[in-house]
Amino acid sequence: MLAGVARITCRNRKGQRTLVIMVAPGMIPGFPPPVPGISYNFRCEAVTPCQIGTIDLESFVEISLGIASADFKQLAASYMGRWDLVQLRCANFMSCTLEERLALILLELSENFGIPDGKRIRLTLPARHRDLADLVGASRPRITEHLNLFERKHLISRDNRQLIVNRDRLESFLAQTHISADKHEFEKVRRSLH
């Protein structure tokens, strides 16, 4: 991806197309190795006008061997690291509430598609409620409800149709929910001992 924003989707168990990851310039999208008996039907779609480059394997290897080790590692991280993030997100989401999953996705999007706006981060891609719902495994109306709640808590704000993320507040919110969960777990264990 040389310029623009794209999205990679796949089919879920119900056969519906769902968003997997947003692709930013500089990322080299790839797909995980196929698993026998499972067809994900991955598709890459442009969100904004895109400019894409392709290269044959021989040239790629030649170019890769002619660059510094750090540059090659960065290239490899762009290729493989993003899928690792998707897998980590899925594994970590299992124990998170919808609020926590949405906060994590907003932080991830601000990291990959954000530009500084004072002490906050302005997302440079359209944050469609349907896309956010796909990324966190929720319905669009529930995402709208939680985005409104986040706005009232000043975790995010909106400027026209752009979303502005207050990273510090979102991170504090996640830290607080983690502390609350730990206290709740401690109390549950304490009660079971008495």
Side-chain angles (χ1 to χ4, degrees):
M1 178 74 71
L2 301 175
V5 176
R7 47 192 240 137
I8 294 178
T9 61
C10 72
R11 295 238 179 247
N12 64 17
R13 290 178 300 137
K14 297 178 181 177
Q16 300 162 328
R17 188 146 294 281
T18 186
L19 180 64
V20 176
I21 190 171
M22 301 297 287
V23 182
M27 290 173 63
I28 301 172
F31 300 99
V35 178
I38 299 176
S39 174
Y40 292 107
N41 192 12
F42 286 101
R43 182 188 302 162
C44 187
E45 306 165 328
V47 173
T48 64
C50 293
Q51 189 175 21
I52 298 169
T54 61
I55 189 167
D56 65 78
L57 183 59
E58 188 174 298
S59 298
F60 179 76
V61 170
E62 198 174 296
I63 291 167
S64 295
L65 294 175
I67 62 175
S69 174
D71 292 338
F72 184 78
K73 286 179 182 175
Q74 184 179 10
L75 178 71
S78 288
Y79 178 70
M80 295 304 290
R82 301 303 171 176
W83 283 109
D84 290 345
L85 283 176
V86 172
Q87 291 171 341
L88 283 171
R89 179 192 316 141
C90 292
N92 289 322
F93 273 10
M94 288 183 209
S95 61
C96 292
T97 65
L98 176 55
E99 270 187 330
E100 292 166 327
R101 294 191 317 260
L102 182 57
L104 288 167
I105 282 296
L106 290 172
L107 287 173
E108 183 181 321
L109 290 174
S110 70
E111 182 79 22
N112 293 323
F113 302 100
I115 56 171
D117 186 341
K119 292 186 175 184
R120 302 168 304 165
I121 305 291
R122 180 182 295 270
L123 295 184
T124 58
L125 79 158
R128 297 180 343 161
H129 293 202
R130 173 79 258 153
D131 290 343
L132 293 172
D134 284 349
L135 286 169
V136 301
S139 67
R140 190 203 51 75
R142 293 285 316 270
I143 291 302
T144 300
E145 176 184 316
H146 280 78
L147 286 173
N148 290 335
L149 176 65
F150 279 17
E151 200 166 5
R152 286 193 299 275
K153 290 181 176 181
H154 304 286
L155 303 175
I156 63 168
S157 57
R158 300 174 210 219
D159 183 17
N160 292 322
R161 297 189 60 92
Q162 281 190 308
L163 201 59
I164 301 169
V165 175
N166 188 329
R167 284 188 64 90
D168 292 341
R169 285 184 182 237
L170 270 178
E171 287 169 356
S172 294
F173 163 75
L174 286 170
Q176 285 301 109
T177 58
H178 183 70
I179 290 167
S180 296
D182 285 349
K183 283 181 182 175
H184 176 71
E185 198 61 36
F186 174 77
E187 281 300 312
K188 206 162 68 171
V189 170
R190 190 182 64 77
R191 283 193 301 267
S192 71
L193 295 174
H194 294 300

